Amino acid sequence: MTINGVDTSTLFATIDVVKGQPELAQFQFRATNRWISGTHNRSTINGYFGAGQEHTRATDHRYDADHPPVLTGGDNGPTPVEFLLHALAACLTSGLANIAAARGIPLTEVSSTVEGDIDLQGILGIDKTVRNGYRGIRVSFELRGDATQEQLAALVEQSRKRSAVWDVLTNGVPVTIDVKAG
Amino acid sequence: MTINGVDTSTLFATIDVVKGQPELAQFQFRATNRWISGTHNRSTINGYFGAGQEHTRATDHRYDADHPPVLTGGDNGPTPVEFLLHALAACLTSGLANIAAARGIPLTEVSSTVEGDIDLQGILGIDKTVRNGYRGIRVSFELRGDATQEQLAALVEQSRKRSAVWDVLTNGVPVTIDVKAG
């Protein structure tokens, strides 16, 4: 049965298989990045490990990032912090569609806006009491579907509870850096 | 003077201007997202507020996200969590180029790989003791330039200390969600 473009029987079967073999749930995602010039650089996303094996997509996904002209950047792509907002909106929306399908709720429209406030006195080294990153992020969802307002709002809440990006952004994650120089 | 594609005199002048008018450092970045079908959705990034005014880019930047086939997704784009890895690599690299320029160090090559490990038993609701997001992220930098290995490695360390994405990913950020349903 397919609802919202989600094949729910395959989704449930997948979850059942992973329940019996938790090693299939171990994933590793990757991105590589190459500096181009100034604050302009480009990431490539393709292979990942998961469900017990390595996966390669048919084509590489490439994303440019840069700083804006007001920060003496070249504006050859969004800023790195804008990609965080995209990741958050995308994660909540993907999860929401799966959850709505699992609950038998047909959706007709889901859109969202994400805003992040940041005081650049941190990264510019002007005020050490100001954090480098966003001080807060707001997500605004609008959704329509064949369900009550309460049922639709509950989809967003359940998606939040199961969102990988929400978890990382609100709780943080250990990150290590290794450098080969010279 | 331009080094590594960074106009350092403009960069220093910008920092000086912001020092005198900290309200210019207040930025708001944004992304909008629209659900397409299943776990496939698309974000648009364009306008932002900063340096005291609203900015609009010449063209919208659009990014598709989806889940992979092994998670019953359509693979129409990277997963949302992969965009987090891109954001981290891009932020560290942009900062590094600025810092190298400020220190008079010409770079010839900067590349990085970011890997994130995640146990999907969390988001699949199989094991409530498993977190939804990455349990850890590793960044590996390779860089070459006209400086000692220690000076090059110090660029990465300083960029980490001033990175907005590093701060958000390692320390977390408050996020709120508002829903209009029906």
Side-chain angles (χ1 to χ4, degrees):
Chain A
M1 182 186 169
T2 296
I3 178 170
N4 299 328
V6 176
D7 180 343
T8 52
S9 40
T10 304
L11 180 62
F12 293 142
T14 300
I15 294 173
D16 276 344
V17 169
V18 177
K19 266 182 194 163
Q21 296 177 264
E23 66 274 18
L24 297 178
Q26 306 309 313
F27 276 63
Q28 182 185 87
F29 292 106
R30 304 169 197 131
T32 60
N33 182 281
R34 184 167 288 274
W35 175 58
I36 296 173
S37 179
T39 49
H40 181 204
N41 55 76
R42 182 174 296 151
S43 291
T44 302
I45 295 173
N46 191 333
Y48 61 95
F49 179 88
Q53 60 183 303
E54 191 63 29
H55 300 268
T56 305
R57 292 163 170 124
T59 54
D60 287 346
H61 295 287
R62 292 198 179 85
Y63 303 101
D64 284 34
D66 201 351
H67 285 181
V70 289
L71 294 172
T72 72
D75 206 25
N76 292 289
T79 61
V81 287
E82 287 170 292
F83 282 102
L84 293 182
L85 307 182
H86 157 52
L88 180 58
C91 193
L92 291 169
T93 301
S94 295
L96 196 157
N98 272 342
I99 293 160
R103 294 182 177 182
I105 297 175
L107 297 169
T108 51
E109 192 189 327
V110 183
S111 60
S112 58
T113 299
V114 189
E115 299 173 335
D117 297 317
I118 187 167
D119 181 342
L120 296 187
Q121 291 183 95
I123 65 169
L124 293 175
I126 292 172
D127 185 341
K128 291 195 189 307
T129 67
V130 174
R131 72 177 294 179
N132 292 317
Y134 287 121
R135 69 170 163 271
I137 294 174
R138 287 176 304 283
V139 187
S140 301
F141 266 99
E142 288 198 30
L143 62 166
R144 290 192 182 82
D146 189 12
T148 66
Q149 287 191 357
E150 289 70 24
Q151 287 172 319
L152 293 171
L155 297 175
V156 178
E157 175 56 14
Q158 182 62 21
S159 183
R160 182 192 68 74
K161 283 186 185 165
R162 290 281 176 77
S163 167
V165 174
W166 170 279
D167 175 21
V168 167
L169 292 188
T170 60
N171 296 316
V173 60
V175 185
T176 60
I177 302 183
D178 172 63
V179 183
K180 283 186 194 170
Chain B
M1 183 185 168
T2 296
I3 178 169
N4 299 329
V6 177
D7 179 344
T8 51
S9 41
T10 304
L11 180 62
F12 293 142
T14 300
I15 294 173
D16 277 344
V17 168
V18 177
K19 266 183 193 162
Q21 295 177 266
E23 66 274 17
L24 296 179
Q26 307 309 313
F27 276 63
Q28 181 185 87
F29 291 107
R30 302 167 198 134
T32 60
N33 182 282
R34 183 167 289 274
W35 174 59
I36 296 173
S37 179
T39 49
H40 180 205
N41 56 76
R42 183 174 296 151
S43 291
T44 302
I45 296 173
N46 190 334
Y48 61 94
F49 179 87
Q53 60 181 304
E54 191 64 29
H55 301 268
T56 304
R57 292 166 171 120
T59 54
D60 287 347
H61 296 287
R62 292 198 180 86
Y63 303 102
D64 284 34
D66 201 352
H67 285 182
V70 288
L71 295 172
T72 73
D75 207 25
N76 292 289
T79 61
V81 287
E82 286 171 293
F83 282 102
L84 293 182
L85 307 182
H86 157 52
L88 180 59
C91 193
L92 291 170
T93 302
S94 294
L96 196 158
N98 272 341
I99 292 161
R103 294 183 177 182
I105 297 175
L107 298 169
T108 51
E109 191 188 328
V110 183
S111 61
S112 58
T113 300
V114 189
E115 300 173 335
D117 297 317
I118 187 167
D119 181 343
L120 297 188
Q121 290 183 95
I123 65 171
L124 292 175
I126 293 172
D127 186 341
K128 291 196 189 308
T129 67
V130 174
R131 72 177 294 179
N132 293 316
Y134 288 122
R135 68 169 163 271
I137 294 174
R138 286 177 304 283
V139 187
S140 301
F141 266 98
E142 288 199 30
L143 63 165
R144 290 192 182 82
D146 190 11
T148 66
Q149 287 191 359
E150 290 69 26
Q151 287 171 320
L152 292 171
L155 297 175
V156 178
E157 176 55 15
Q158 183 61 23
S159 183
R160 184 192 67 73
K161 284 186 185 164
R162 289 282 175 77
S163 167
V165 173
W166 171 279
D167 175 21
V168 167
L169 292 189
T170 60
N171 296 317
V173 60
V175 185
T176 61
I177 302 183
D178 171 63
V179 183
K180 284 187 193 169

